[in-house]
Amino acid sequence: MTPHPASNNGSTLLPCETDVLIVGAGITGIYQLYRALEAGFSAQLVEAGEGVGGTWYWNRYPGARFDSESYTYAYLFSKELFEDWEWKEHFAEQPEIERYLNHVVDRFDLRRYLRLGARVTSAVYNDPDRSWTVTAGDGTVVQTQFLIASTGVLSVPHFPDVSGRENFRGEQYHTGLWPATPVDFAGKRVAVIGTGSSGVQLIPAIAGQVASLTVYQRTANWCTPLNNGPITSDQQARLRADFETLRHTLSTSSHGFLHRPHDRATFDDPVEQRRAFYQEMWSSPGFSKLTSNYTDLLFDEAANTEWCDFIADKVRSIVKDPDTAERLIPKDHHFGEHRPPFVTGYYEVYNQPNVSLVDLKQTPIERMTETAVETTEGRRDFDIVVWATGFDFGTGALMRMGIRGRAGLALDQYWAEGPRTFLGLQTAGFPNLFFPGGPHAAAGNNPRYNSDQVDFIMETLRYVRDHGYQAIEVDPAAEERWTNMVDRGATRAPSFGESSYYFGTNIPGKPRKYLLNSGGRPKLFKEIGRVVENDYKAFRLSRSGPSAALRPSRPASTENRRLQAAGGAAQ
Ligand code: NAP
């Protein structure tokens, strides 16, 4: 691959093939590449897909779109980029998002640093060289000083273990692995299994084309309207004029949204005012139902129940068949307990004569045959089955990359009981490895959190280079502090359960550990500030050569004995 002209210019880094290797050409990886090159590091990027976009490359199912506002999800690092891309809709659809990301790659001349169609199969740390050897399935082998895995949290599709799935002779698709060639649904008998955010976007997008659509729902979700629309030319002009304010608000807001938090708790208002407010929420865009709702929504069961009752009444008023309406209303969790989906015309679809709903809690799937899905209710024949059954969230991609750190320590072993991270971007025993946008990283509008992490990584790499170090690894005590913070913060309000992929509960056998950043951005900012103020004492820094650590580490905690045993005191 072409090295960057600035490769190792005047730096103290090792003579690797590249200073920085990034894995994943999603929103975070592209930004990481841009920043690394801008800082004068040589950089390359490998990506499993044949195109750029990451999540927005693979999830090209009909109806896939942002549910954060386009201009809040997109890059903010360049005013010129912001000005030369006009989003068509407040919540852009996948083709526009993919075009945008390709535009960014070309506009900043990044394509020559990409190797597409290269899925990483192993990444091995070389100690005392302080470098990584990364191998991909297409035969690519790269030696890099720093390895930055921007592999995303929703990138490993989950297929349930349904007996006979491989025998089905019709077409099968997963929403997270959608083919580039459009799927022809016209006149077909279609099953959609799963009603999370992906399923409920897909269902209304295809319901008008198919001969019949059977939706297999295991858990009903609290779906509320996305309230999308085109961005008018006045709004475009205002967005441009307000760019700096918008950037400032988004860079400082606690969850990376523009929506203003509310200042009142539910029962501060009398009942009529609450009904009016809920109606206002129902008509508001996307995530504002969560971020601008009453302040006690996620903490007070009675408050949450009242909002849920409002939504349930809406469902009953839209869906004509009362039995179907009842099955579409969640009975086992509160609003916000699972990631809420935002929809366009979803409930309305169930009034179409060609659409039916199967409740898998009442009649579970027993098997698939060559032509059918069989539940305890009976069999239904299909031409197409779509799995909208989600992902191995948070850790899925990192655990499958064959990552081995100091003394051969395998990441999937080190994280066998759940991820252990510092700031959601480094883990002890794996020097020079960063994973922005990974587990413990975000809990809101992902690109905003992830760009905070990328910016911090770049500050850190500059520090390493400018101080003549060659390796950086989080101190186990700092890792323990952050991981404990995540676990403590995940403790839910009474009556809020843990039945969500946020805790890994959708994957059989996965440890039940919280996978988001429960401290949100304020905690991330605070901790980053502390690291910089304390001159990177949360990290061990070293030079190459045997036992050349300049910073003695603190004694390892009990939890990190396993790491020490595996890795020894290599530094
Ligand atoms: P998901 O939220 O995990 O939903 C998966 C669905 O499949 C659930 O309804 C689940 O039921 C069902 N399911 C899983 N295993 C099953 C089984 N063995 N039998 C029957 N049903 C099964 O996955 P997703 O819809 O792909 O969404 C994942 C995340 O991607 C979202 O939460 C969101 O963060 C992101 N996303 C974002 C957008 C966007 O607009 N920006 C769009 C789509 C997705 P249970 O609930 O019972 O497990």
Side-chain angles (χ1 to χ4, degrees), residues 10 12 23 31 53 68 155 172 179 195 199 244 270 352 436 460 469 500 548:
T12 55
V23 185
Y31 180 55
S68 300
S155 43
Q172 289 193 68
T195 51
E244 292 302 348
Q352 288 183 208
T460 303
Y469 296 114
S500 153

Side-chain angles (χ1 to χ4, degrees), residues 186-197:
K188 305 272 175 64
R189 299 161 302 169
V190 178
V192 174
I193 301 173
T195 51
S197 300

Side-chain angles (χ1 to χ4, degrees), residues 61 65 67 160 195-198 201 218-219 339 388-391 501:
Y61 58 85
R65 62 172 68 250
D67 57 13
T195 51
S197 300
S198 305
Q201 282 189 334
R218 189 165 67 180
T219 305
R339 199 278 204 182
T389 42
F391 301 87
Y501 71 71

Side-chain angles (χ1 to χ4, degrees), residues 328-341:
L328 287 165
I329 297 169
K331 306 289 188 302
D332 55 2
H333 66 276
H334 295 86
F335 184 88
E337 200 172 319
H338 298 176
R339 199 278 204 182

Side-chain angles (χ1 to χ4, degrees), residues 177-408:
L177 267 182
W178 205 261
T181 325
V183 176
D184 182 10
F185 285 102
K188 305 272 175 64
R189 299 161 302 169
V190 178
V192 174
I193 301 173
T195 51
S197 300
S198 305
V200 301
Q201 282 189 334
L202 171 84
I203 289 161
I206 61 169
Q209 304 163 36
V210 299
S212 69
L213 175 59
T214 306
V215 177
Y216 289 91
Q217 169 190 276
R218 189 165 67 180
T219 305
N221 260 311
W222 293 110
C223 301
T224 53
L226 181 62
N227 294 316
N228 190 17
I231 305 180
T232 64
S233 50
D234 280 358
Q235 288 168 332
Q236 298 282 12
R238 236 186 354 263
L239 281 169
R240 280 161 180 255
D242 293 347
F243 173 70
E244 292 302 348
T245 313
L246 177 122
R247 176 153 69 178
H248 175 75
T249 309
L250 289 170
S251 328
T252 50
S253 93
S254 62
H255 294 288
F257 292 106
L258 287 179
H259 317 132
R260 289 225 177 100
H262 199 46
D263 56 359
R264 297 174 69 77
T266 305
F267 302 108
D268 291 347
D269 286 343
V271 66
E272 314 76 57
Q273 213 169 310
R274 300 204 292 273
R275 293 294 293 183
F277 179 72
Y278 292 144
Q279 183 57 47
E280 201 184 302
M281 285 289 97
W282 181 262
S283 310
S284 70
F287 270 98
S288 50
K289 282 96 164 172
L290 199 59
T291 55
S292 304
N293 214 317
Y294 282 119
T295 52
D296 52 356
L297 180 76
L298 299 182
F299 309 104
D300 182 306
E301 188 175 2
N304 196 295
T305 301
E306 194 171 89
W307 166 240
C308 290
D309 288 346
F310 176 87
I311 302 174
D313 284 347
K314 286 285 187 192
V315 177
R316 291 184 190 107
S317 73
I318 298 170
V319 179
K320 294 194 179 115
D321 174 49
D323 285 347
T324 305
E326 285 315 308
R327 280 183 277 137
L328 287 165
I329 297 169
K331 306 289 188 302
D332 55 2
H333 66 276
H334 295 86
F335 184 88
E337 200 172 319
H338 298 176
R339 199 278 204 182
F342 302 104
V343 292
T344 306
Y346 174 62
Y347 292 119
E348 289 80 351
V349 151
Y350 293 95
N351 295 330
Q352 288 183 208
N354 64 337
V355 178
S356 58
L357 181 68
V358 175
D359 185 339
L360 293 178
K361 287 225 164 111
Q362 286 173 9
T363 56
I365 295 179
E366 293 199 308
R367 70 184 69 82
M368 281 175 81
T369 66
E370 290 187 354
T371 57
V373 174
E374 289 186 11
T375 66
T376 53
E377 170 214 43
R379 71 176 261 173
R380 296 193 188 203
D381 287 312
F382 297 108
D383 304 304
I384 300 179
V385 171
V386 177
W387 300 90
T389 42
F391 301 87
D392 183 351
F393 179 75
T395 49
L398 289 168
M399 300 278 264
R400 284 168 175 79
M401 265 173 59
I403 296 176
R404 289 188 173 267
R406 276 197 285 114

